[in-house]
Amino acid sequence: KTTIPTYDLALKFENEGYYLIAYPLFYECLGDTTFDKGDIYFHCGWCTEQAGEDYRDISVSFYFKAGEYANDSICRMNSYFRAGWILMHKKDFENAILSFKRSIEIGHKECEYGKLYSESLYWCAICLESKGRYFDAIELYKTAADLSAELNPECRYREIMCLTAVGLFESAAKVCSSFSKNPPKNFDLQRYNDLKALLQREQAMLEKSLHETNSYRRCG
């Protein structure tokens, strides 16, 4: 009779969606020094995250450990990203910002500027915006927009909203003018049309505000 190694069995259950069966099997593998401890912690984090809301706190702790111990830089980045994602949805924006920033720092240090890096920038900016840190958010939106064609429309729209929030109407209007006329490749067309409609409404309001401001200045 052939015995399936614990790690392989854990992967099998994880891939089949049996997360609460896979999780303790992965955890058992932490005692085996032949495995990358960070990778095992990541699997523990993923399985507990997928298991539901009641397990999210323990997921975050596993992801933090994965970020600390993993040999692979992408695994470390992804670990902090997943922790940030959970914390953001718990509205713990301060700690989410710290987690996303850690992912960004690893990406910068390791020259990993792919999708995960751009997503970390974008969602960190979302959290910063939620905390009213508009100028910090704008900088990250700009960087993410430049790096990722896929995120560009979302970043441009959010940048406009941040500029409007701090009263920089002329700058917001300029960003409106730079909004892509066509959606990026593989971008959801319905979402693009929704963004475009929101932008057109915002642009009309900005133009009205600028016109009224200029008229007031002329009268003064």
Side-chain angles (χ1 to χ4, degrees):
K1 185 178 179 179
T2 304
T3 303
I4 302 174
T6 302
Y7 182 81
D8 293 342
L9 191 60
L11 277 179
K12 178 179 182 296
F13 283 124
E14 181 186 49
N15 291 332
E16 291 174 356
Y18 296 108
Y19 299 110
L20 288 180
I21 298 176
Y23 156 54
L25 294 172
F26 278 123
Y27 194 82
E28 187 179 329
C29 293
L30 287 169
D32 189 335
T33 57
T34 61
F35 293 114
D36 176 355
K37 185 184 287 189
D39 178 67
I40 300 299
Y41 275 130
F42 182 85
H43 281 291
C44 288
W46 178 255
C47 287
T48 48
E49 180 185 356
Q50 303 311 307
E53 196 69 35
D54 292 342
Y55 295 87
R56 297 291 161 82
D57 287 340
I58 194 171
S59 297
V60 171
S61 67
F62 281 134
Y63 283 137
F64 282 155
K65 288 179 180 176
E68 181 181 353
Y69 288 109
N71 294 324
D72 181 67
S73 59
I74 294 295
C75 183
R76 295 201 307 276
M77 286 177 71
N78 201 16
S79 299
Y80 286 114
F81 178 86
R82 294 307 318 163
W85 183 262
I86 294 170
L87 291 164
M88 179 181 68
H89 283 86
K90 288 167 67 70
K91 299 192 183 301
D92 184 356
F93 296 118
E94 289 293 352
N95 284 313
I97 289 166
L98 293 174
S99 295
F100 287 130
K101 280 188 173 180
R102 190 72 188 97
S103 179
I104 294 163
E105 287 166 359
I106 294 168
H108 189 73
K109 181 180 178 181
E110 302 294 336
C111 297
E112 296 284 0
Y113 299 121
K115 183 176 180 179
L116 186 56
Y117 183 81
S118 300
E119 291 278 352
S120 296
L121 287 168
Y122 176 77
W123 291 108
C124 188
I126 288 285
C127 293
L128 287 165
E129 184 182 350
S130 298
K131 294 296 292 181
R133 295 169 61 181
Y134 298 112
F135 290 106
D136 291 334
I138 287 167
E139 290 306 310
L140 295 191
Y141 284 135
K142 284 181 177 179
T143 305
D146 289 341
L147 286 173
S148 172
E150 187 177 350
L151 286 173
N152 187 285
E154 300 282 0
C155 290
R156 292 298 182 205
Y157 177 69
R158 296 288 356 137
E159 183 184 351
I160 291 162
M161 300 308 291
C162 287
L163 289 166
T164 302
V166 295
L168 294 176
F169 302 132
E170 288 186 14
S171 297
K174 286 179 182 177
V175 179
C176 284
S177 301
S178 72
F179 194 82
S180 176
K181 291 180 173 59
N182 298 303
K185 186 179 179 182
N186 299 325
F187 194 89
D188 182 80
L189 185 58
Q190 182 59 55
R191 176 58 182 163
Y192 179 79
N193 288 332
D194 289 344
L195 282 173
K196 204 167 183 179
L198 289 168
L199 181 136
Q200 288 169 347
R201 186 179 68 184
E202 193 66 27
Q203 191 169 20
M205 292 171 63
L206 286 167
E207 288 172 356
K208 182 181 178 183
S209 295
L210 288 169
H211 176 74
E212 290 174 351
T213 300
N214 291 331
S215 296
Y216 177 78
R217 284 173 180 168
R218 284 196 294 271
C219 291

